[in-house]
Amino acid sequence: MKQTILFLFVMVLAFSACHDVKIGYLKADNAEYYPDSLVVETDLSKVSQNKVDNDAPWVTNTISGMLGTEPLSYEFVSVRAIDGGDADIFAKEIVVRGSGRMQFPLRTEAPKGRYIVTLKVSNEDYSAILPDVFTFILK
């Protein structure tokens, strides 16, 4: 009987101690896009007719070099605009999808320029900021 009570006491202590342990891991030191930029043609006469007919957005590759416990969530943090860009307009149009894939509309209101994007990746207990991880070049 004493052994049963002692066993139950030890199990309760062990179970309660496990609640403070963070689940999984996240390593973003080597996170990168390849290529790390995308040229977006704003003059639709220079874009393939098929893309225009389908109103297909501009889409990046997935991010590589991420290690962590799934599911990983990606979200837009900020954008810096240079060479004549408007970060506020760009921020309203960018969409981040699974695996860090970013989508930008074919028909944009954003002016020509360079847009440097910062993302956040997170899972259940960890997160990391990926500063200046991708550049959109609107021509």
Side-chain angles (χ1 to χ4, degrees), residues 62-134:
T62 59
I63 196 165
S64 62
M66 287 298 312
L67 297 173
T69 305
E70 297 286 345
L72 296 176
S73 300
Y74 296 85
E75 64 183 273
F76 174 80
V77 173
S78 65
V79 62
R80 289 186 302 121
I82 55 177
D83 297 336
D86 186 324
D88 293 331
I89 295 173
F90 185 91
K92 291 176 185 173
E93 295 183 331
I94 189 80
V95 176
V96 181
R97 303 272 185 215
S99 300
R101 183 167 284 155
M102 290 181 278
Q103 181 176 308
F104 192 72
L106 178 66
R107 293 172 174 84
T108 178
E109 297 295 320
K112 295 176 183 177
R114 290 180 175 264
Y115 297 89
I116 304 167
V117 176
T118 295
L119 297 178
K120 177 182 178 182
V121 61
S122 58
N123 60 15
E124 187 172 337
D125 285 329
Y126 299 93
S127 66
I129 301 294
L130 308 174
D132 301 341
V133 72
F134 195 84

Side-chain angles (χ1 to χ4, degrees), residues 41 43-56 58 106-107:
E41 186 60 64
D43 181 358
L44 296 184
S45 68
K46 296 180 180 178
V47 177
S48 77
Q49 191 60 43
N50 189 37
K51 188 169 187 70
V52 173
D53 290 345
N54 291 298
D55 199 28
W58 299 96
L106 178 66
R107 293 172 174 84

